[in-house]
Amino acid sequence: YEFSAHTPLTPASTLKVMTATAITDALGADHSFTTSVVATSADAIVLVGGGDPLLASTPTSYSGSSAIALPTTADLAARTAAALQAQGISRVSLGYDDSLFSGPVWHADWPEGDRQFVAPISALVIDEGAAVPGTESGSQVTAGIFADQLRAAGIDVTGDVVAASATGGSELAKVASAPLGLLVQEMLTHSDNFIAEMLLRQLGIAKGQAGSFEGGAAALTASLTDLGLWDDGQL
């Protein structure tokens, strides 16, 4: 069976197969992405996004949580609180650093209606952006939820949660993503646009490009070319 088999069209989920092939080749199926908290002074900490596409807020907040074990900001908050309390610290300000990714969080060519299929892309987003409808700052919303989890763990978080640099800070706590092989499995099983966009940026970084739409696209083309799998086609 075929229908318009020789008419060039914009590819849809076939791009996920290409992305899966390229990033697994670049990083390996056992690779993981780290979300961390660093102390930048005695009373200031920064939540650092590592571009984990399936970072969850709680153990049950991801719909596939029964099939795949995921890191949570709740666990990270508990670890951070324990590290602070071990140093005799119970009161801090909180910032967030999502600078791993760059450029727009929403592609200029994506229609507004596609927000039901993919959240704005950031290196620091929980629950695939489910908590951030209608906002461009998934990072700030994530950090705000993390601040509440820190408070629940016994740490007084003061002031507003704002963007900050983690450069020069010392690590207090961290959580690692599920292995890349499982992230790719989730992406392909559910044709998950958000995971695909996050992994495309990780591919860009792995290949020395920016963690952006443009960097990811350039890295994807180069990776598949190196593997002998790229065909420019005809348009």
Side-chain angles (χ1 to χ4, degrees):
Y1 173 81
E2 67 179 42
F3 178 77
S4 300
H6 302 289
T7 302
L9 299 170
T10 301
S13 292
T14 51
L15 279 170
K16 295 187 181 74
V17 177
M18 298 160 70
T19 302
T21 300
I23 194 164
T24 303
D25 177 71
L27 295 176
D30 293 330
H31 186 84
S32 62
F33 307 109
T34 300
T35 306
S36 63
V37 176
V38 303
T40 54
S41 71
D43 59 356
I45 62 174
V46 178
L47 175 63
V48 186
D52 179 356
L54 287 183
L55 180 65
S57 56
T58 69
T60 59
S61 60
Y62 174 61
S63 59
S65 58
S66 62
I68 179 172
L70 299 175
T72 69
T73 52
D75 184 26
L76 183 59
R79 297 183 188 188
T80 301
L84 289 170
Q85 289 162 348
Q87 298 177 30
I89 299 171
S90 61
R91 181 182 177 90
V92 294
S93 64
L94 173 67
Y96 63 88
D97 188 337
D98 61 359
S99 59
L100 180 67
F101 293 169
S102 58
V105 299
W106 187 259
H107 198 285
D109 293 339
W110 290 353
E112 186 69 21
D114 279 358
R115 289 179 184 263
Q116 63 183 306
F117 303 116
V118 58
I121 306 303
S122 160
L124 182 61
V125 175
I126 52 171
D127 303 331
E128 293 195 280
V132 295
T135 179
E136 294 295 331
S137 183
S139 303
Q140 187 171 36
V141 172
T142 297
I145 291 171
F146 181 71
D148 289 339
Q149 292 172 328
L150 274 177
R151 294 182 181 106
I155 300 298
D156 182 12
V157 180
T158 64
D160 295 329
V161 178
V162 297
S165 172
T167 302
S170 58
E171 187 177 275
L172 289 171
K174 63 182 178 180
V175 291
S177 73
L180 176 59
L182 288 179
L183 297 177
V184 166
Q185 175 180 293
E186 288 295 295
M187 174 181 72
L188 295 178
T189 299
H190 305 292
S191 192
D192 192 302
N193 297 314
F194 183 78
I195 298 176
E197 291 294 340
M198 295 284 280
L199 293 185
L200 184 69
R201 280 159 179 72
Q202 295 285 12
L203 176 63
I205 294 167
K207 290 296 184 177
Q209 302 280 348
S212 63
F213 287 109
E214 293 80 7
L220 179 62
T221 303
S223 296
L224 295 177
T225 299
D226 290 344
L227 291 169
L229 298 174
W230 183 261
D231 189 335
D232 286 334
Q234 296 179 350
L235 292 178

